[in-house]
Short mmCIF file of all heavy atoms in Angstrom, two decimals:
data_model
loop_
_atom_site.label_atom_id
_atom_site.label_comp_id
_atom_site.label_asym_id
_atom_site.label_seq_id
_atom_site.Cartn_x
_atom_site.Cartn_y
_atom_site.Cartn_z
N ILE A 422 94.57 108.65 125.56
CA ILE A 422 94.39 107.23 125.51
C ILE A 422 93.27 106.86 124.48
O ILE A 422 93.50 105.94 123.61
CB ILE A 422 94.01 106.66 126.87
CG1 ILE A 422 95.27 106.67 127.77
CG2 ILE A 422 93.51 105.18 126.73
CD1 ILE A 422 94.96 106.33 129.20
N LEU A 423 92.19 107.62 124.46
CA LEU A 423 91.14 107.36 123.50
C LEU A 423 91.63 107.55 122.04
O LEU A 423 91.33 106.83 121.14
CB LEU A 423 89.94 108.20 123.78
CG LEU A 423 88.72 108.00 122.84
CD1 LEU A 423 88.33 106.54 122.76
CD2 LEU A 423 87.51 108.91 123.28
N ARG A 424 92.40 108.66 121.86
CA ARG A 424 92.95 108.97 120.56
C ARG A 424 93.84 107.84 120.09
O ARG A 424 93.84 107.43 118.92
CB ARG A 424 93.76 110.29 120.59
CG ARG A 424 92.86 111.55 120.60
CD ARG A 424 93.71 112.76 120.08
NE ARG A 424 94.98 112.78 120.71
CZ ARG A 424 95.32 113.52 121.80
NH1 ARG A 424 94.36 114.28 122.41
NH2 ARG A 424 96.54 113.61 122.30
N SER A 425 94.64 107.31 121.00
CA SER A 425 95.55 106.17 120.64
C SER A 425 94.78 104.90 120.25
O SER A 425 95.14 104.26 119.32
CB SER A 425 96.48 105.91 121.84
OG SER A 425 97.25 107.01 122.18
N ILE A 426 93.68 104.64 121.00
CA ILE A 426 92.90 103.45 120.69
C ILE A 426 92.28 103.58 119.29
O ILE A 426 92.22 102.69 118.51
CB ILE A 426 91.80 103.27 121.71
CG1 ILE A 426 92.45 102.89 123.09
CG2 ILE A 426 90.81 102.19 121.35
CD1 ILE A 426 91.47 102.88 124.29
N ARG A 427 91.70 104.81 119.00
CA ARG A 427 91.10 105.01 117.72
C ARG A 427 92.11 105.00 116.57
O ARG A 427 91.82 104.45 115.49
CB ARG A 427 90.39 106.34 117.71
CG ARG A 427 89.14 106.44 118.65
CD ARG A 427 88.29 107.57 118.28
NE ARG A 427 87.66 107.41 117.00
CZ ARG A 427 86.92 108.31 116.35
NH1 ARG A 427 86.77 109.48 116.91
NH2 ARG A 427 86.48 108.08 115.16
N ALA A 428 93.30 105.44 116.89
CA ALA A 428 94.39 105.45 115.84
C ALA A 428 94.80 104.01 115.54
O ALA A 428 95.22 103.74 114.40
CB ALA A 428 95.61 106.27 116.34
N HIS A 429 94.65 103.13 116.47
CA HIS A 429 95.10 101.72 116.22
C HIS A 429 94.41 101.16 115.03
O HIS A 429 95.03 100.29 114.28
CB HIS A 429 94.84 100.86 117.48
CG HIS A 429 95.25 99.41 117.28
ND1 HIS A 429 96.46 99.01 117.39
CD2 HIS A 429 94.49 98.35 116.97
CE1 HIS A 429 96.56 97.62 117.19
NE2 HIS A 429 95.32 97.30 116.91
N TRP A 430 93.18 101.51 114.81
CA TRP A 430 92.40 100.84 113.69
C TRP A 430 92.96 101.28 112.35
O TRP A 430 92.58 100.75 111.37
CB TRP A 430 90.95 101.11 113.84
CG TRP A 430 90.43 100.55 115.12
CD1 TRP A 430 90.07 101.23 116.22
CD2 TRP A 430 90.28 99.22 115.46
NE1 TRP A 430 89.71 100.41 117.28
CE2 TRP A 430 89.81 99.13 116.86
CE3 TRP A 430 90.48 98.03 114.73
CZ2 TRP A 430 89.57 97.89 117.42
CZ3 TRP A 430 90.25 96.81 115.40
CH2 TRP A 430 89.79 96.69 116.70
N GLY A 431 93.85 102.23 112.32
CA GLY A 431 94.47 102.61 111.06
C GLY A 431 95.24 101.50 110.43
O GLY A 431 95.34 101.38 109.13
N ILE A 432 95.77 100.56 111.16
CA ILE A 432 96.52 99.48 110.61
C ILE A 432 95.54 98.49 109.88
O ILE A 432 95.95 97.94 108.88
CB ILE A 432 97.34 98.68 111.65
CG1 ILE A 432 98.34 97.79 111.01
CG2 ILE A 432 96.43 97.90 112.61
CD1 ILE A 432 99.36 97.16 111.94
N GLU A 433 94.31 98.38 110.33
CA GLU A 433 93.31 97.60 109.65
C GLU A 433 92.79 98.30 108.39
O GLU A 433 92.75 97.74 107.30
CB GLU A 433 92.19 97.26 110.56
CG GLU A 433 92.54 96.29 111.67
CD GLU A 433 92.76 94.85 111.16
OE1 GLU A 433 92.37 94.58 110.00
OE2 GLU A 433 93.34 94.05 111.94
N ASN A 434 92.43 99.56 108.53
CA ASN A 434 91.78 100.31 107.49
C ASN A 434 92.76 100.82 106.43
O ASN A 434 92.35 100.85 105.24
CB ASN A 434 91.06 101.53 108.07
CG ASN A 434 90.03 101.14 109.08
OD1 ASN A 434 89.44 100.07 109.00
ND2 ASN A 434 89.76 102.03 110.07
N ASN A 435 94.02 101.11 106.83
CA ASN A 435 94.88 101.75 105.88
C ASN A 435 96.08 100.85 105.39
O ASN A 435 96.74 101.19 104.43
CB ASN A 435 95.47 103.02 106.46
CG ASN A 435 94.44 104.11 106.76
OD1 ASN A 435 93.55 104.32 105.96
ND2 ASN A 435 94.57 104.68 107.93
N LEU A 436 96.23 99.73 106.11
CA LEU A 436 97.30 98.77 105.66
C LEU A 436 96.64 97.47 105.23
O LEU A 436 96.70 97.09 104.05
CB LEU A 436 98.31 98.56 106.80
CG LEU A 436 99.42 97.51 106.45
CD1 LEU A 436 100.21 97.92 105.26
CD2 LEU A 436 100.25 97.25 107.67
N HIS A 437 96.06 96.70 106.18
CA HIS A 437 95.55 95.38 105.84
C HIS A 437 94.49 95.42 104.81
O HIS A 437 94.43 94.60 103.92
CB HIS A 437 95.08 94.72 107.14
CG HIS A 437 96.19 94.44 108.11
ND1 HIS A 437 95.94 94.11 109.49
CD2 HIS A 437 97.49 94.34 108.01
CE1 HIS A 437 97.10 93.92 110.09
NE2 HIS A 437 98.06 94.07 109.17
N TRP A 438 93.55 96.43 104.94
CA TRP A 438 92.49 96.49 103.90
C TRP A 438 93.00 96.72 102.57
O TRP A 438 92.57 96.05 101.55
CB TRP A 438 91.47 97.61 104.35
CG TRP A 438 90.24 97.65 103.54
CD1 TRP A 438 89.08 96.91 103.74
CD2 TRP A 438 90.00 98.39 102.33
NE1 TRP A 438 88.14 97.19 102.78
CE2 TRP A 438 88.65 98.08 101.88
CE3 TRP A 438 90.79 99.24 101.55
CZ2 TRP A 438 88.12 98.66 100.73
CZ3 TRP A 438 90.20 99.83 100.42
CH2 TRP A 438 88.94 99.54 100.05
N HIS A 439 93.93 97.59 102.43
CA HIS A 439 94.48 97.99 101.12
C HIS A 439 95.29 96.77 100.54
O HIS A 439 95.28 96.51 99.34
CB HIS A 439 95.33 99.21 101.13
CG HIS A 439 94.53 100.42 101.12
ND1 HIS A 439 93.64 100.75 100.08
CD2 HIS A 439 94.41 101.51 101.97
CE1 HIS A 439 93.09 101.91 100.34
NE2 HIS A 439 93.56 102.39 101.47
N LEU A 440 95.99 96.09 101.43
CA LEU A 440 96.76 94.87 100.94
C LEU A 440 95.83 93.84 100.40
O LEU A 440 96.12 93.16 99.39
CB LEU A 440 97.63 94.31 102.06
CG LEU A 440 98.82 95.12 102.52
CD1 LEU A 440 99.51 94.50 103.73
CD2 LEU A 440 99.83 95.36 101.40
N ASP A 441 94.68 93.71 101.06
CA ASP A 441 93.70 92.72 100.60
C ASP A 441 92.91 93.15 99.33
O ASP A 441 92.78 92.41 98.38
CB ASP A 441 92.68 92.38 101.71
CG ASP A 441 93.27 91.54 102.84
OD1 ASP A 441 94.26 90.88 102.52
OD2 ASP A 441 92.68 91.50 103.90
N VAL A 442 92.43 94.41 99.39
CA VAL A 442 91.54 94.91 98.32
C VAL A 442 92.33 95.54 97.15
O VAL A 442 92.08 95.21 96.01
CB VAL A 442 90.58 95.83 98.93
CG1 VAL A 442 89.67 96.50 97.83
CG2 VAL A 442 89.66 95.21 100.05
N THR A 443 93.18 96.43 97.45
CA THR A 443 93.95 97.17 96.42
C THR A 443 95.01 96.33 95.75
O THR A 443 95.22 96.32 94.52
CB THR A 443 94.59 98.42 96.94
OG1 THR A 443 93.51 99.22 97.59
CG2 THR A 443 95.17 99.29 95.81
N PHE A 444 95.70 95.51 96.64
CA PHE A 444 96.82 94.72 96.14
C PHE A 444 96.47 93.19 95.97
O PHE A 444 97.32 92.41 95.55
CB PHE A 444 98.07 94.91 97.02
CG PHE A 444 98.73 96.20 96.87
CD1 PHE A 444 98.22 97.30 97.51
CD2 PHE A 444 99.88 96.31 96.09
CE1 PHE A 444 98.83 98.55 97.38
CE2 PHE A 444 100.46 97.60 95.92
CZ PHE A 444 99.92 98.69 96.55
N ASN A 445 95.27 92.84 96.34
CA ASN A 445 94.77 91.49 96.17
C ASN A 445 95.74 90.40 96.76
O ASN A 445 96.00 89.36 96.25
CB ASN A 445 94.56 91.17 94.69
CG ASN A 445 93.62 89.96 94.47
OD1 ASN A 445 92.77 89.64 95.27
ND2 ASN A 445 93.81 89.36 93.33
N GLU A 446 96.26 90.80 97.96
CA GLU A 446 97.33 89.97 98.56
C GLU A 446 96.83 88.55 98.99
O GLU A 446 97.63 87.55 98.89
CB GLU A 446 97.98 90.65 99.73
CG GLU A 446 99.18 90.00 100.38
CD GLU A 446 99.90 90.76 101.41
OE1 GLU A 446 99.42 90.84 102.55
OE2 GLU A 446 100.92 91.39 101.08
N ASP A 447 95.61 88.43 99.42
CA ASP A 447 95.11 87.11 99.88
C ASP A 447 95.02 86.10 98.81
O ASP A 447 94.97 84.95 99.06
CB ASP A 447 93.74 87.29 100.53
CG ASP A 447 93.90 87.58 102.07
OD1 ASP A 447 95.02 87.58 102.55
OD2 ASP A 447 92.87 87.78 102.68
N SER A 448 95.10 86.53 97.49
CA SER A 448 95.00 85.58 96.40
C SER A 448 96.33 85.06 96.00
O SER A 448 96.36 84.20 95.05
CB SER A 448 94.29 86.27 95.21
OG SER A 448 92.96 86.62 95.51
N THR A 449 97.42 85.48 96.61
CA THR A 449 98.76 85.04 96.22
C THR A 449 98.95 83.56 96.44
O THR A 449 98.37 82.99 97.38
CB THR A 449 99.87 85.80 96.97
OG1 THR A 449 101.15 85.41 96.43
CG2 THR A 449 99.82 85.49 98.46
N ARG A 450 99.69 82.85 95.59
CA ARG A 450 99.98 81.48 95.75
C ARG A 450 101.48 81.27 95.94
O ARG A 450 102.01 80.16 95.79
CB ARG A 450 99.52 80.68 94.47
CG ARG A 450 98.00 80.64 94.37
CD ARG A 450 97.41 79.76 95.53
NE ARG A 450 95.94 79.66 95.43
CZ ARG A 450 95.08 80.53 95.95
NH1 ARG A 450 95.52 81.48 96.71
NH2 ARG A 450 93.82 80.37 95.83
N LYS A 451 102.19 82.30 96.32
CA LYS A 451 103.59 82.22 96.53
C LYS A 451 103.86 81.51 97.92
O LYS A 451 103.03 81.46 98.76
CB LYS A 451 104.30 83.54 96.56
CG LYS A 451 104.04 84.31 95.24
CD LYS A 451 104.42 85.74 95.34
CE LYS A 451 103.96 86.57 94.16
NZ LYS A 451 102.47 86.71 94.15
N THR A 452 105.00 80.98 98.08
CA THR A 452 105.29 80.20 99.29
C THR A 452 106.62 80.65 99.89
O THR A 452 107.44 81.35 99.24
CB THR A 452 105.39 78.70 99.06
OG1 THR A 452 106.44 78.40 98.13
CG2 THR A 452 104.06 78.14 98.44
N LYS A 453 106.80 80.36 101.14
CA LYS A 453 108.13 80.50 101.88
C LYS A 453 108.66 81.92 101.73
O LYS A 453 107.96 82.94 101.88
CB LYS A 453 109.11 79.42 101.48
CG LYS A 453 108.61 78.03 101.78
CD LYS A 453 109.65 77.00 101.38
CE LYS A 453 109.12 75.59 101.66
NZ LYS A 453 110.05 74.55 101.28
N ASN A 454 109.97 82.04 101.32
CA ASN A 454 110.64 83.30 101.28
C ASN A 454 109.97 84.21 100.22
O ASN A 454 109.84 85.45 100.37
CB ASN A 454 112.10 83.14 100.93
CG ASN A 454 112.94 82.60 102.04
OD1 ASN A 454 112.41 82.37 103.10
ND2 ASN A 454 114.18 82.42 101.83
N ALA A 455 109.55 83.66 99.11
CA ALA A 455 109.00 84.44 98.03
C ALA A 455 107.70 85.14 98.50
O ALA A 455 107.44 86.35 98.13
CB ALA A 455 108.67 83.54 96.83
N ALA A 456 106.90 84.45 99.34
CA ALA A 456 105.66 85.09 99.87
C ALA A 456 105.93 86.16 100.81
O ALA A 456 105.33 87.23 100.71
CB ALA A 456 104.79 83.97 100.50
N ALA A 457 106.89 86.01 101.68
CA ALA A 457 107.23 87.04 102.70
C ALA A 457 107.82 88.28 101.93
O ALA A 457 107.54 89.44 102.27
CB ALA A 457 108.18 86.54 103.71
N ASN A 458 108.76 87.97 101.00
CA ASN A 458 109.40 89.06 100.26
C ASN A 458 108.40 89.83 99.38
O ASN A 458 108.51 91.09 99.26
CB ASN A 458 110.51 88.51 99.41
CG ASN A 458 111.71 88.13 100.24
OD1 ASN A 458 112.03 88.74 101.26
ND2 ASN A 458 112.45 87.08 99.76
N PHE A 459 107.42 89.15 98.71
CA PHE A 459 106.46 89.83 97.90
C PHE A 459 105.51 90.64 98.81
O PHE A 459 105.09 91.74 98.40
CB PHE A 459 105.70 88.85 97.09
CG PHE A 459 105.05 89.45 95.83
CD1 PHE A 459 105.80 89.45 94.67
CD2 PHE A 459 103.82 90.06 95.86
CE1 PHE A 459 105.21 90.04 93.53
CE2 PHE A 459 103.22 90.58 94.76
CZ PHE A 459 103.97 90.58 93.54
N SER A 460 105.25 90.19 99.98
CA SER A 460 104.40 91.00 100.94
C SER A 460 105.11 92.30 101.24
O SER A 460 104.47 93.37 101.33
CB SER A 460 104.12 90.17 102.20
OG SER A 460 103.41 90.90 103.16
N LEU A 461 106.43 92.25 101.39
CA LEU A 461 107.18 93.47 101.68
C LEU A 461 107.14 94.44 100.43
O LEU A 461 107.04 95.58 100.53
CB LEU A 461 108.58 93.15 102.09
CG LEU A 461 109.45 94.38 102.59
CD1 LEU A 461 108.77 95.14 103.68
CD2 LEU A 461 110.79 93.95 103.04
N LEU A 462 107.25 93.80 99.21
CA LEU A 462 107.20 94.59 98.03
C LEU A 462 105.84 95.30 97.98
O LEU A 462 105.71 96.49 97.58
CB LEU A 462 107.32 93.73 96.77
CG LEU A 462 108.68 93.09 96.51
CD1 LEU A 462 108.67 92.38 95.17
CD2 LEU A 462 109.78 94.18 96.51
N ASN A 463 104.74 94.63 98.39
CA ASN A 463 103.44 95.23 98.41
C ASN A 463 103.42 96.37 99.33
O ASN A 463 102.77 97.45 99.02
CB ASN A 463 102.38 94.19 98.83
CG ASN A 463 101.92 93.28 97.71
OD1 ASN A 463 102.12 93.58 96.51
ND2 ASN A 463 101.44 92.14 98.07
N LYS A 464 104.06 96.28 100.54
CA LYS A 464 104.05 97.36 101.49
C LYS A 464 104.81 98.59 100.97
O LYS A 464 104.49 99.78 101.13
CB LYS A 464 104.60 96.92 102.83
CG LYS A 464 103.74 95.99 103.58
CD LYS A 464 104.34 95.70 104.96
CE LYS A 464 103.39 94.89 105.82
NZ LYS A 464 103.31 93.46 105.35
N ILE A 465 105.95 98.28 100.29
CA ILE A 465 106.77 99.40 99.66
C ILE A 465 105.93 100.08 98.57
O ILE A 465 105.87 101.29 98.60
CB ILE A 465 108.05 98.79 99.10
CG1 ILE A 465 108.99 98.29 100.14
CG2 ILE A 465 108.77 99.86 98.21
CD1 ILE A 465 110.16 97.48 99.63
N ALA A 466 105.32 99.30 97.76
CA ALA A 466 104.48 99.96 96.67
C ALA A 466 103.29 100.68 97.24
O ALA A 466 102.98 101.77 96.76
CB ALA A 466 103.97 98.84 95.79
#
């Protein structure tokens, strides 16, 4: 259970942080479908 709890923070450290810092996702000005689709492109990349 403790291993699982600690592993959970991987989504913050290895996904959300990189989307914000490495891919600068928070600065996007896209809207609606384009924003959601570009977010998926970021995850693929």
Side-chain angles (χ1 to χ4, degrees):
I422 290 172
L423 181 55
R424 285 202 312 266
S425 299
I426 292 170
R427 294 197 65 188
H429 178 80
W430 298 108
I432 193 170
E433 289 289 346
N434 300 331
N435 298 318
L436 177 63
H437 294 165
W438 188 88
H439 280 302
L440 290 176
D441 286 342
V442 177
T443 307
F444 286 80
N445 201 25
E446 187 172 79
D447 271 356
S448 297
T449 186
R450 290 295 180 267
K451 304 170 191 69
T452 61
K453 299 181 180 179
N454 287 359
N458 287 326
F459 203 90
S460 179
L461 186 56
L462 291 184
N463 281 338
K464 287 187 175 73
I465 293 170

